[in-house]
Amino acid sequence: MALNARRNRQLLETAAPLLIEGEQVELTTLAAVGSVSVRKQALTAAVVGVLSAGTVVATVRPRPMYIVVTDQRLLFFDGAGGGKPGRLQMNLPRPYVSAAEPKKGFLGLTMVTHLTVAGQEKGLKVTFPVQTRGDGRRFTSALPVTR
């Protein structure tokens, strides 16, 4: 199940002013972008636990982002509120991005891939949640394979 029609329309409306003349949208989806270290997760849980006397449990997760794949670029929009797409966070030229073969994530419920951007040392982890898991293969097949 991909984005619902309303959310897809909102994403396309947000991206439209940024598109170059003749640029075509190929895919719209939602994914968690980035990774959070175990150390940061443990530290956050400990601090919140101490400050709340154990009554609150905190978790840290990668940032949800709406992704628009065009024939020329990958556009990442803030999706932290879970609602309408927010501001443009990243704009990556498609020829400089490659993707690792997607793998099943936690309990096979998610789809995970790693993007490599030319000139950057560190890759970017992209995790497709249950709702957009099917978009994971479509997303990676639109990009060259990381070697």
Side-chain angles (χ1 to χ4, degrees):
M1 177 174 92
L3 296 176
N4 67 40
R6 186 181 91 217
R7 195 66 72 218
N8 189 51
R9 180 182 42 77
Q10 290 170 338
L11 181 55
L12 291 173
E13 288 171 356
T14 302
L18 303 172
L19 298 179
I20 301 166
E21 188 174 332
E23 189 172 14
Q24 299 293 315
V25 174
E26 295 180 359
L27 175 69
T28 59
T29 189
L30 174 72
V33 178
S35 58
V36 179
S37 70
V38 172
R39 180 179 177 190
K40 187 172 184 176
Q41 289 175 357
L43 181 62
T44 300
V47 169
V48 170
V50 168
L51 292 175
S52 68
T55 59
V56 176
V57 176
T59 60
V60 182
R61 300 181 336 192
R63 180 182 207 111
M65 290 191 183
Y66 291 101
I67 303 171
V68 176
V69 178
T70 73
D71 56 348
Q72 298 176 29
R73 302 179 287 167
L74 278 76
L75 303 169
F76 294 81
F77 295 91
D78 187 23
K84 291 176 70 169
R87 294 182 30 182
L88 179 68
Q89 299 295 316
M90 283 188 285
N91 177 356
L92 303 175
R94 197 163 157 181
Y96 299 110
V97 180
S98 60
E101 186 66 31
K103 297 185 182 337
K104 289 182 179 177
F106 182 71
L107 297 176
L109 299 175
T110 62
M111 184 71 64
V112 179
T113 189
H114 290 80
L115 299 181
T116 303
V117 181
Q120 298 294 316
E121 272 185 38
K122 198 171 182 181
L124 191 62
K125 183 178 178 183
V126 181
T127 305
F128 293 90
V130 174
Q131 307 91 298
T132 60
R133 179 181 54 206
D135 292 340
R137 293 224 182 266
R138 291 179 48 214
F139 177 77
T140 55
S141 67
L143 300 168
V145 177
T146 301
R147 301 256 180 252

